[in-house]
Structures are given as C-alpha cells and as structure tokens.
Amino acid sequence: MATWEVRWDGGYRRYREGRPVAGEALPSDLLTVGMGDDDVPWAHLLPLLWPRETPPGPEEGVEAEALLYRAVARAQAAPAALKFSWNHFLLGHPLGRWLEEAYRWPADEEGQKKERWVPYPGHRERLSALPAAPHQGSVGEIFGSGGVLAQLFPQFERRPGQEAMARAVEETLQKGGFLVAEAGTGSGKSLAYLLPALGRREGRAVVATRTLQLQEQLLHHDLPLALAASGPGKRAALLKGQAHYLCLRRWDELRRQGGAGQDPVFLAQVASWLHLTQDGDLGELPHSSLPVPLGVEPHACARRACPFFDDCFVWKARREAEKASLLVVNHALLLTDARRGGDLLPPYDVVIVDEAHHLEEAAAQHLGATIPRDLWRRYLREMASLPWPRELEKEASATLKRAGEALEDFFSALGRWGGTDEEKRWRDGDPKVAEAGERWGSRLEELGHLLGRGEAESESSFPFGGWRQIVAETIHHLNLWLHPPGGWVSFWQRPKGRDELQLSPLDAGSYLQEKLLSRVHAAVFTSATLSVAGDLSPFARRLGLTHYETLQTPSPFHYREQALVMVPVDLPGGSWDEVAPFLGELARISEGRALFLFTSYRALKACREALDRLRLDITFLSQGEDGSRSELLAALRQRGRVVLLGTQSFWEGVDLPGDLLRLVVVDRIPFPRPNLPRLEALKESLQEAGEPWFFRLHVVPAATLLQQAFGRLIRTAYDQGLFVLLDDRILYRSYGLLLLRSLPPASFLQGTREELLAAAQGFLQGTLSPFRFQSLEEVAEHLKKRRS
C-alpha cells in the first residue's frame, strides 16, 4: 500500500493502511492529496465523490482527516458499474491511482452506510413532498387564517395582498383576458398564482420564469405546498429545453471512445452524477458551463429509433409534462415553442409569466434568430463524421471544407467591419461583408443538397434529415440577417469573445401577440418591478396590450424603518481613488456584508483597483476574477467581512436575507447604453413616428433595474440596510422624480460623504431613528413642488 500525504492550508499528515503514520523520510510510494499542485487536488477528488454538492476543502488537520475517511468510505461504497466507469476514464491518471488505493484500505462498514450513493430526489418526488388536503375549497378558504394553507404549513401567515392577487388571478383565468399584477417583495405572489392555476377543473397552465433561482424556489417550496393545498389528483411538472438534459446516446459514444481527448476528471464526475440523477438535468452539475456538449439536440435526436429512447431523460420529462395540469418552464422555452408553432410543449390554454419585466427582452431574442460562429464550427465537425454513403464521402469532405472556409471568411469580414466594438448594427453597408455572407449562404445551399442526397441514398433518413433542416433554417435566417425586412434589426455581437449574428423584431409586443398571446384563453404577467412611479401602462404598451386588468399589491415590509437610501452630493468626478475611501468606510461600518453593483465592468475593475490600494481589513471579491457567481455568493454567506463587486448578473436573483447583506452600493443610474443596436433602431422608429423615446427606452429600464438592485437589500421583514446611489443626477434631472417614486417607500438622506457616514453608522447601530430622516415620498413631493 502507498503512503498518503494529506495536505491542508498550513500543514500535512501521512496515512498508511487507514492509519496516521509518523516519520519525516519521504517514502518512494508517496501519494499526495490536498492543496495546490498535488497529485490529487481536493478540487478534483471532492466533485468526483460528491458530484452535485461538493464539500469544501479542509482548512485544518482535523477536517482533513475526517474528509479523507469520508472520501475513502464513499469510494468503497460506490456501485460496481460506477467503479468501472471511473477506471475507464481515469486509467493512468493520478485520481485513478488514488481510487485504487482507496479500494485497498480496510473496509469501514459503518462509514460506507453513511456514505451510500442514494439517488437525488427527482422533480416528481420533490413536488409530492407534502400530503394532499382532502379538498381544495375557495380562495378564501385556502388563504384564510384557519384555512388549508395554515393547516398544512403552521408558519403560514395570512397576507391580504397575496389573497387579493389570488382572487384577481382566479377571476382572470375564469373569464379570460390579461392581468398585469405587480406584487411587492414578500407578498407571496408565487402561491397567489399557483393555487388558482391548479384549481381549474380542466385545461393546462404554463408558468414561465426567467431565473433558475425562482424555478428552484417553486420546485422546492411553493409548488409542493400549492399541490398539497389543491387536493388530490393534481399534477405539476418542470420542463426544460432539450439541451438541458443529458443525451444518453452522446454519453455512450463518449464512453466508448474513452473520452475522446476530453478532460478525464470531468467525465468521471459526470459518470458519478449519472449514477445519482433521476432527471438527467445537467443543471444539477456544479459547472457554470460544460466543457463538453452533453445535451440533447433536436437535429441529432433519433427519437423512437434511438436505442436509448426508453430511458431518455427528455422523453421522460415530456411524458410527465403530458400528464400535468401545470407546467413550469423558462421564458426561452415558452417563446421558442411559440415561434415554432407549439411543437415543444403540450397544448395549454393559460400562461402565467413571472419575472415578466424581462419578457420583452426575451421575446426580442427568442422570437428572432441567433447564428453563433462556434456552434457552426462544431456542426461542420459533426457533419464530417456522419455515416455518408461511400459514393458521397469525397464530395461530402470537399463540400464541408468549402462551407467551413466560407464560414471563417464571413465572420472574419464581420470582425474587420466591427473593429473593436462588442456589437454593431448591420445596415447592409459593407459590400465585403455582404459578399462573404452570400458566399457562405451558397456553400450552405450546396451542403443542404448533399444532405438531401445522403438522406435519400442511405438506409436510414436519420440523421441526415435533422441536419438538412438545420442548414435550411440557417440559410433562411442568414438571408433575413443580410437583408432585414421592415420591423426587424440585424446586428453582430461577440458576447465573451464569441462571434454571433442576431436577428430581432423591433416591436416584440406585436410579435408576442401574434405568436403566443393570441393562442391562449388567459395570461397573467407578474413581477415585483413592473411599474414606473406606480404606473403599469408603460409595461403593458411594451407587450402590445390594449385591454387588460391591473393589480398592485404592496410589500408587507416596513421599508421606512428597514432601509435608508443615501445619495452623496459631494463626490468628485472621474477618479475612483477619491471615491474609494468613502466606499471603504461604508464597508467598515457594515462589517463587509455588502454588494457593490456597477453599470460596466470597466468601472468595476477601476473601483476594485482603488479599493485594493487602500489595504483595508476587508475581503473584496470581483465578478470575473475571483470565482463564479455561485462561488462569490457562497463566500459572502460563509465569511464575515466580505464585499462582492458585480455587474449585470448580480442586480437581480441574489437572495441574501438577514445579516448576510446590509449594504448595497450602485455606481450610476443604470441607463442602457445608447448605441445598443436594437435600442438604436427602436429610437429611430419612435422618432419617425413622432413619439417620445427617452422615457420608454431609457427611464423605464433604469427604473426597473434600480428597483431590482434595491430588492437585493430587503428580503425579509427582519432585514435592515443601506442603499447608496453614487449618482446625484437623480436629485436634479427631470427623470429623477420618476426614478425616486419607483423605489420602495424607504427613508432618505442626501448630503456630504461625512454626513452620510455618520448617518449610516447610527442607522445600522440603531442609535438614529429612521424617522429622523425624510421619507422617499416626502423627497419626491418636495422635488415636484420645486420644479413646478
């Protein structure tokens, strides 16, 4: 047996045959596990054995020893088929040697029992976690103080706003039409729409969310409770796009090829997860992006002809969806299904859109078309390995080569045309780009004809038919991109350095009406941030709604006492080195536990560099530098004096209740960039029609984002914190009044940095009453009078 040297932050210990051993001489058969560049880093070992929820690496010897014994017991308890997969992928890898040694250690039967490989609860198990009530009853009976919810959930508190929303949703679903419902944070809107949707006697409702966080909240908490309260016989299901489910055929090909040059550690981790998952949902893997495409793709799916069809995760999910009276999907799947005429979701007559403030943006993206360069590179590689009839092999190779060359020429021409821009609107103004695009289109037409011949001459039409459809769709969208029809905008962009074409409708609302809303009996649009200064009509206009009901239920939180909004009036312009001491002192007062939000990554980086130069006793972590979004949020939850610096993805979907977050700082009013291609085209369209454009295109999205940023701060009735806006334009520009009135009714203070720091200290320590400050309503009223 080898001697194991287990390392942690600041020390090491050696083990042999399951016991610690002494001695400083370096054994020739040493196997290390732990920190840094060791043979087996904790970062490789732990996800292999705990593929979904990786325990953290140890910081001291006691933790290291306990984790080592747990890891050995878990490796020994693994099913034989999984051990075979590990050996298959990790043969010759240091991690494979670690496993061989772990199998030789003395068996710990008690430890193996604790570390059993128990399957994760599937979606269906999680949804049926609570016993069903004997009958449903009316909305009043369900939400009443002695009603069904109170009986099922002893902590349930009756909320008038929640009950009012449930009644409004119930009425809309019964009579038909549209409801726009803004429900303040903490009002319980999820149950307010789930219960009426489940209470219908027939038909199917689709609930569409944008963020994974809300889907998880529905799946783990709200939906099981709603199902139980709705009585027996009700079923719900979660359905994602095909690419979110592991393709068993693709996985089998990878396994047969021994990994085909891919990262063996990642593939071994997937093998571990596959022995635990019931849903095959790739989102269960702790990876922000997968290094290998593993999801199901429509063009490569043989459906019933696939040898793995009976066990296919996609078709299992679809069969569950067919039996459900309520489906939970995301915005992308809802809109893609609408664009394709309804071939992805089972029929439904009611749609409820949560996080609806994102619907127009999502419609512009998913009701249009995207052509990514990297994806087409992969498509061409995959088509090269198709089972071409022998007589077409040489022609296929030559055709694919020409198509690949034309692809690269086209995107190279786009790159030269785009220059240093991250995105640029196409106006049919560069003949070299147009010529290269037409040439790529011609090469794709040749490829389409060849795929048609392959489909006709091969023994099976699969997979040629699926590929031919992909090629035909791309030709169609490419032609539209090169020559956009009226009401559409074409642009080139490179998110994270990856080139892609985007084709979007300008009036997403009318397209949404045509493709989705005209097909349903009733629709509900809800969010905590739909209005501007209490007005819901701007949101309704963006969706093309003309006849609709509205509802606004306030948050149950006491914002006046819980939050203090501050705007410094003496900030120097242009230098983060002059602003950083103020931010550092705010972070000291809040003892870390802060979120600094920026409207650009450039500002984030400059601020972080300025803060680092101060050498404060606070840990600053930046998006894009210090870990993934989930890792940064985990660091804030686990440590004390931590400040996160983030851009767009941190403005919403962050849930840090209680003392986890006490300070939110926003660098500027979050107006969208004026040169965004779709925004630029919309501005031109509105100007031609003689309509005001600044309010719709800049003030409305800025108000929504400010509300979302504020919403990170107060998550429960017991939270308290500071919201600091480093932009005093809100105090004297005409749009400032609307932005202030869009925020919750918190306390407010404008003043010098010195005055704000003193107030911040007193507010958080409880030595200053919130009523010493003005309320936001009083400030807004004062500004209104001053301007009039």
Side-chain angles (χ1 to χ4, degrees):
M1 286 190 179
T3 300
W4 287 8
E5 185 171 273
V6 178
R7 301 181 188 176
W8 58 92
D9 189 10
Y12 72 91
R13 190 174 293 153
R14 291 179 183 156
Y15 298 83
R16 191 175 182 87
E17 296 184 3
R19 297 184 181 184
V21 294
E24 294 301 319
L26 191 65
S28 59
D29 57 350
L30 183 70
L31 179 65
T32 59
V33 58
M35 309 295 295
D37 298 325
D38 301 326
D39 289 350
V40 182
W42 291 113
H44 282 179
L45 176 64
L46 301 184
L48 178 80
L49 300 173
W50 290 273
R52 187 178 180 187
E53 297 179 5
T54 306
E59 295 182 0
E60 55 185 49
V62 175
E63 294 175 355
E65 182 173 75
L67 191 50
L68 173 66
Y69 286 133
R70 281 192 69 195
V72 170
R74 192 157 180 84
Q76 292 178 344
L82 177 54
K83 291 178 180 177
F84 178 82
S85 294
W86 286 342
N87 182 64
H88 183 68
F89 289 122
L90 297 171
L91 188 63
H93 191 279
L95 193 50
R97 184 179 169 215
W98 186 94
L99 288 166
E100 290 176 6
E101 290 292 331
Y103 301 150
R104 295 192 186 106
W105 270 36
D108 177 3
E109 293 184 7
E110 200 59 39
Q112 289 182 37
K113 286 180 183 177
K114 292 179 181 178
E115 300 297 338
R116 288 181 305 154
W117 288 72
V118 180
Y120 301 135
H123 296 155
R124 189 172 174 184
E125 288 177 80
R126 283 181 274 173
L127 290 175
S128 58
L130 295 171
H135 66 280
Q136 181 193 9
S138 66
V139 165
E141 291 173 334
I142 292 174
F143 288 96
S145 54
V148 176
L149 286 174
Q151 295 172 31
L152 290 170
F153 191 57
Q155 293 85 7
F156 177 77
E157 295 178 6
R158 187 172 187 179
R159 288 175 261 192
Q162 184 182 52
E163 194 169 335
M165 181 174 170
R167 292 183 188 278
V169 171
E170 183 179 55
E171 183 179 348
T172 300
L173 300 191
Q174 287 175 353
K175 72 178 185 180
F178 304 133
L179 173 67
V180 177
E182 183 176 64
T185 305
S187 57
K189 62 180 167 58
S190 299
L191 281 177
Y193 62 67
L194 288 173
L195 281 159
L198 286 166
R200 299 190 310 147
R201 293 184 179 179
E202 55 185 23
R204 179 181 288 113
V206 168
V207 172
T209 74
R210 177 178 179 264
T211 60
L212 177 62
Q213 182 195 10
L214 182 52
Q215 282 195 351
E216 288 296 311
Q217 177 191 320
L218 293 177
L219 200 63
H220 287 283
H221 181 260
D222 295 325
L223 200 42
L225 190 57
L227 284 166
S230 297
K234 299 294 182 179
R235 297 184 68 166
L238 174 69
L239 191 61
K240 296 186 177 183
Q242 291 185 346
H244 291 274
Y245 298 94
L246 180 109
C247 175
L248 292 171
R249 181 186 60 79
R250 178 168 283 180
W251 174 251
D252 185 63
E253 289 174 357
L254 267 174
R255 187 183 58 79
R256 289 175 183 273
Q257 296 164 7
Q262 304 294 341
D263 178 7
V265 176
F266 169 73
L267 295 177
Q269 290 172 15
V270 175
S272 299
W273 165 75
L274 195 53
H275 272 75
L276 297 171
T277 183
Q278 295 190 58
D279 299 315
D281 183 347
L282 292 166
E284 294 174 349
L285 286 166
H287 296 271
S288 55
S289 61
L290 302 181
V292 187
L294 294 174
V296 175
E297 294 182 320
H299 63 271
C301 180
R303 298 180 178 255
R304 295 187 181 276
C306 177
F308 300 96
F309 178 79
D310 289 341
D311 296 317
C312 176
F313 293 117
V314 166
W315 295 100
K316 279 183 179 178
R318 287 196 172 182
R319 287 191 287 269
E320 285 296 314
E322 292 283 355
K323 300 172 188 174
S325 57
L326 186 143
L327 284 182
V328 178
V329 303
N330 64 11
H331 291 179
L333 181 56
L334 174 74
L335 294 165
T336 304
D337 174 74
R339 176 171 57 82
R340 293 175 49 159
D343 65 344
L344 296 177
L345 301 178
Y348 58 91
D349 62 333
V350 162
V351 63
I352 298 170
V353 181
D354 205 338
E355 300 173 304
H357 57 283
H358 283 292
L359 187 59
E360 183 195 20
E361 174 192 351
Q365 179 181 355
H366 295 287
L367 294 179
T370 305
I371 305 177
R373 181 185 199 173
D374 286 349
L375 183 61
W376 256 99
R377 283 172 168 167
R378 178 162 69 84
Y379 281 171
L380 292 171
R381 289 195 302 269
E382 291 182 7
M383 279 188 271
S385 61
L386 290 177
W388 293 97
R390 183 169 297 179
E391 61 274 17
L392 294 180
E393 287 178 351
K394 288 186 179 179
E395 187 178 352
S397 179
T399 302
L400 287 165
K401 182 180 179 183
R402 289 194 296 270
E405 290 170 349
L407 168 74
E408 298 304 325
D409 289 346
F410 175 47
F411 276 97
S412 295
L414 281 167
R416 290 190 292 272
W417 165 74
T420 58
D421 293 342
E422 288 295 314
E423 50 201 345
K424 191 170 181 178
R425 183 179 169 193
W426 172 248
R427 299 171 182 263
D428 198 11
D430 189 306
K432 291 183 179 178
V433 172
E435 181 183 343
E438 299 287 356
R439 187 162 55 251
W440 185 42
S442 297
R443 296 294 182 240
L444 288 177
E445 287 180 1
E446 293 175 7
L447 181 57
H449 292 313
L450 191 65
L451 287 164
R453 289 170 59 193
E455 184 178 14
E457 296 177 25
S458 63
E459 295 181 3
S460 169
S461 63
F462 176 80
F464 292 97
W467 282 112
R468 189 162 59 86
Q469 183 179 351
I470 287 286
V471 171
E473 287 178 359
T474 302
I475 293 170
H476 174 67
H477 292 144
L478 176 62
N479 288 333
L480 287 176
W481 191 90
L482 289 169
H483 311 287
W488 289 77
V489 60
S490 300
F491 55 98
W492 162 82
Q493 59 184 5
R494 44 178 153 201
K496 298 181 180 177
R498 295 191 291 269
D499 289 336
E500 64 183 34
L501 309 182
Q502 185 72 43
L503 178 71
S504 297
L506 278 183
D507 187 358
S510 62
Y511 207 45
L512 194 66
Q513 288 280 340
E514 175 192 345
K515 296 291 184 180
L516 174 66
L517 300 182
S518 62
R519 297 168 41 207
V520 297
H521 167 70
V524 175
F525 308 95
T526 186
S527 168
T529 56
L530 293 182
S531 67
V532 178
D535 184 6
L536 292 170
S537 62
F539 169 81
R541 280 198 299 271
R542 296 204 309 274
L543 296 193
L545 303 180
T546 54
H547 298 89
Y548 56 94
E549 300 294 327
T550 64
L551 177 76
Q552 289 176 282
T553 60
S555 169
F557 301 154
H558 300 290
Y559 288 113
R560 186 79 165 83
E561 295 114 80
Q562 291 182 256
L564 175 60
V565 176
M566 303 196 300
V567 178
V569 296
D570 65 339
L571 283 179
S575 172
W576 280 104
D577 281 307
E578 296 180 75
V579 178
F582 172 63
L583 297 181
E585 188 61 18
L586 279 173
R588 184 196 65 78
I589 290 171
S590 67
E591 299 179 339
R593 295 179 282 181
L595 187 60
F596 291 1
L597 299 173
F598 297 85
T599 51
S600 72
Y601 185 72
R602 180 182 299 176
L604 182 155
K605 190 174 180 182
C607 181
R608 170 65 186 275
E609 290 171 355
L611 288 167
D612 285 345
R613 285 191 283 271
L614 297 177
R615 300 184 179 279
L616 302 172
D617 184 24
I618 290 173
T619 301
F620 294 99
L621 300 175
S622 296
Q623 177 184 353
E625 292 183 10
D626 298 310
S628 66
R629 183 177 187 272
S630 58
E631 288 169 341
L632 295 181
L633 292 173
L636 188 56
R637 290 186 179 100
Q638 293 166 7
R639 305 182 200 173
R641 300 169 68 83
V642 173
V643 175
L644 299 190
L645 287 76
T647 54
Q648 186 174 1
S649 64
F650 282 85
W651 286 67
E652 57 184 300
V654 172
D655 189 20
L656 296 165
D659 280 346
L660 291 175
L661 188 67
R662 303 188 72 193
L663 169 65
V664 172
V665 175
V666 173
D667 74 325
R668 290 175 65 83
I669 295 172
F671 292 125
R673 292 202 330 268
N675 61 344
L676 291 173
R678 186 168 177 272
L679 205 67
E680 188 179 70
L682 273 169
K683 176 182 173 181
E684 292 173 7
S685 174
L686 290 171
Q687 285 177 324
E688 288 174 9
E691 297 182 26
W693 56 270
F694 185 75
F695 174 76
R696 174 180 168 180
L697 302 183
H698 291 270
V699 176
V700 170
T704 300
L705 269 176
L706 273 181
Q707 291 175 71
Q708 287 291 334
F710 184 95
R712 300 316 98 218
L713 183 66
I714 306 298
R715 306 299 299 167
T716 75
Y718 308 103
D719 295 357
Q720 186 184 40
L722 309 168
F723 183 81
V724 183
L725 176 63
L726 306 177
D727 191 341
D728 63 355
R729 290 178 297 172
I730 201 169
L731 299 174
Y732 60 83
R733 291 291 179 90
S734 58
Y735 51 75
L737 183 61
L738 288 169
L739 296 179
L740 284 172
R741 283 185 160 171
S742 298
L743 290 173
S747 296
F748 180 84
L749 178 65
Q750 67 184 75
T752 65
R753 283 168 282 174
E754 185 178 351
E755 290 169 338
L756 298 190
L757 290 174
Q761 182 106 24
F763 184 80
L764 289 183
Q765 290 181 351
T767 57
L768 279 181
S769 166
F771 298 99
R772 291 274 302 272
F773 309 105
Q774 287 182 294
S775 69
L776 268 174
E777 298 102 314
E778 291 169 342
V779 173
E781 191 61 31
H782 174 71
L783 288 175
K784 181 181 177 182
K785 288 179 180 178
R786 190 174 71 184
R787 286 170 189 165
S788 63

